[in-house]
Amino acid sequence: MEVGMGMNLRNGITKKVIYPGKGDLPEYHSETKITFHYRCAKLNEGNTVLDDSRVGTGQPMELVTGKQFKLDVWEECLKTMRVQEVADFFVDRSHLTVFPAVMKTLRDVRKGGQAHNHKDSHCCGLAKMNKEGLGYDDLDALVKSAEHLVFRFEVLKVENPGSYKQETWAMSDEERKKILPTLKEEGNNYYKNKDYQKAADKYAEALGCLENLLLHEKPNSEDWLILDSVRIPFLLNFAQCKYQLGEYYQAIEHATSVLDKEEDNVKALFRRGQAHRHCCNYQEARNDLLKAAKLDPKLGAVVRKELQAIEEMEKERDAEEKEKLAGLFDKIREH
């Protein structure tokens, strides 16, 4: 690779400083938090840009050292940088085996997709990538034929361990388990104060912790089943928050996740029935509400109220359709 003047970090990695930054080089102890922007490009004639954190949302990335970020060459490069420093790192393809999978995760997160947060990225194996593809033509091409790349990093902030609030994605499994009761209590308090969005955020954070913990257990093992059962109250609470926020389809989705595991869960049936009513899925709403009342007769009065609301909504819908048809016939007669 011809990269011009630069400092050789180790075999296959060369650094070229664009702006030297300010202050001394941080010590970068384990669990130091680095906030930075990145740009990835090919070393071809046009320096084709593969990804740029400033494009789109413009949100910088965060990396906590010593947390086994899958693309370890990034951590190695960043730990040579000062605050506000800008530098290019020319990296041999031998260090970039997992780059396509990591970049897929970053792109999916920015698009708001279903992928895990980049801080918890779990990269698939090369065999699977070759067979199924990553969903991005340029990344699939890199899987088939790796290339040398250049990464431009700009370090925005460096925070020492203990000087920032540790986020759940940066925690160990044991720390995630310990924080679950706290997240539940915080979510419940927000819900009591009718701050449904903040409550939903807390429940979602807890569900993210549990998803990560489940990934580290053998499916259907005793530990896996215990963790999976812990998800139920968080899913129920999250569904209720979504209902209160008027996000009825998400309420249905998460209540259904509970019912897939516990088909007679009364709370899930009732909440899904309520959400179906708002989505005009009247028959589905009736089915869920009647089943909930059958399982728990104490719900009889509130279910009757819901069923009455469904009946009124259906009458209103039928009246609107009748009015539209009458208007259509009037137009036909006019012609």
Side-chain angles (χ1 to χ4, degrees):
M1 280 187 297
E2 292 187 11
V3 300
M5 296 295 292
M7 175 177 64
N8 187 40
L9 300 184
R10 66 180 171 96
N11 186 33
I13 304 176
T14 302
K15 175 181 179 181
K16 182 179 180 181
V17 176
I18 308 300
Y19 176 74
K22 296 181 179 180
D24 297 328
L25 180 69
E27 293 187 15
Y28 289 112
H29 298 292
S30 180
E31 299 191 12
T32 297
K33 183 177 178 181
I34 311 171
T35 304
F36 63 99
H37 275 298
Y38 66 86
R39 186 182 70 191
C40 318
K42 293 184 177 183
L43 288 173
N44 56 13
E45 186 175 347
N47 291 324
T48 303
V49 175
L50 296 166
D51 216 73
D52 189 335
S53 63
R54 292 188 180 278
V55 175
T57 63
Q59 290 294 314
M61 183 173 169
E62 295 173 352
L63 183 151
V64 175
T65 61
K67 288 295 181 178
Q68 296 182 326
F69 180 64
K70 296 296 180 180
L71 195 56
D72 57 359
V73 68
W74 277 25
E75 180 172 334
E76 181 177 347
C77 294
L78 287 164
K79 286 164 71 173
T80 70
M81 299 181 69
R82 295 173 172 81
V83 176
Q84 296 186 19
E85 181 178 340
V86 180
D88 286 340
F89 294 85
F90 302 84
V91 181
D92 187 90
R93 60 190 173 196
S94 62
H95 300 296
L96 300 172
T97 305
V98 300
F99 171 79
V102 172
M103 194 50 54
K104 168 190 164 52
T105 303
L106 294 177
R107 290 181 183 181
D108 287 347
V109 168
R110 283 205 306 277
K111 286 166 55 179
Q114 303 262 334
H116 290 286
N117 190 297
H118 63 265
K119 304 145 187 169
D120 279 331
S121 62
H122 294 269
C123 304
C124 54
L126 285 176
K128 184 176 180 181
M129 287 194 291
N130 277 310
K131 182 179 179 181
E132 299 178 4
L134 296 173
Y136 300 96
D137 291 342
D138 55 348
L139 298 183
D140 287 334
L142 288 174
V143 172
K144 295 176 182 177
S145 180
E147 297 185 31
H148 309 309
L149 299 178
V150 56
F151 301 101
R152 173 164 292 186
F153 295 124
E154 178 183 353
V155 173
L156 305 177
K157 184 165 57 173
V158 175
E159 298 171 87
N160 292 323
S163 67
Y164 60 91
K165 181 182 176 182
Q166 189 178 28
E167 297 180 60
T168 51
W169 59 261
M171 293 179 178
S172 66
D173 284 356
E174 196 59 38
E175 288 169 332
R176 289 189 180 100
K177 290 177 182 177
K178 287 182 179 179
I179 202 173
L180 288 173
T182 301
L183 292 172
K184 185 176 182 180
E185 182 180 357
E186 290 176 348
N188 291 349
N189 288 334
Y190 281 127
Y191 189 88
K192 289 175 184 176
N193 292 324
K194 297 185 178 181
D195 193 337
Y196 302 122
Q197 185 56 62
K198 286 186 178 179
D201 291 342
K202 290 298 177 181
Y203 298 138
E205 192 174 353
L207 287 167
C209 284
L210 286 163
E211 281 186 27
N212 194 280
L213 289 167
L214 284 165
L215 287 169
H216 299 164
E217 301 292 344
K218 183 179 179 181
N220 296 316
S221 66
E222 183 178 355
D223 289 340
W224 189 94
L225 290 170
I226 291 172
L227 286 169
D228 194 44
S229 68
V230 174
R231 294 175 68 234
I232 299 298
F234 287 110
L235 285 168
L236 285 169
N237 291 349
F238 189 71
Q240 182 65 7
C241 288
K242 290 299 179 181
Y243 175 80
Q244 295 289 359
L245 290 165
E247 299 175 24
Y248 302 119
Y249 286 104
Q250 286 201 42
I252 291 170
E253 177 187 348
H254 288 88
T256 300
S257 295
V258 174
L259 292 165
D260 286 342
K261 299 177 182 301
E262 299 180 1
E263 61 180 14
D264 290 338
N265 189 295
V266 174
K267 288 183 178 180
L269 285 166
F270 183 73
R271 290 171 188 177
R272 190 173 72 173
Q274 285 183 306
H276 272 310
R277 174 171 68 82
H278 285 281
C279 294
C280 302
N281 303 329
Y282 299 129
Q283 191 54 52
E284 291 90 340
R286 281 195 180 91
N287 292 341
D288 283 346
L289 293 166
L290 289 170
K291 186 175 180 179
K294 185 177 180 181
L295 290 167
D296 185 358
K298 294 178 182 177
L299 290 174
V302 69
V303 165
R304 283 193 293 273
K305 186 176 180 181
E306 289 286 333
L307 293 174
Q308 184 179 355
I310 292 172
E311 188 175 345
E312 291 172 357
M313 291 172 76
E314 285 182 317
K315 286 180 181 178
E316 185 178 339
R317 181 195 61 184
D318 292 343
E320 289 177 355
E321 289 180 355
K322 188 175 181 179
E323 186 178 341
K324 287 179 182 178
L325 284 173
L328 179 61
F329 287 134
D330 288 343
K331 287 183 179 180
I332 292 172
R333 282 195 294 267
E334 289 174 4
H335 289 288

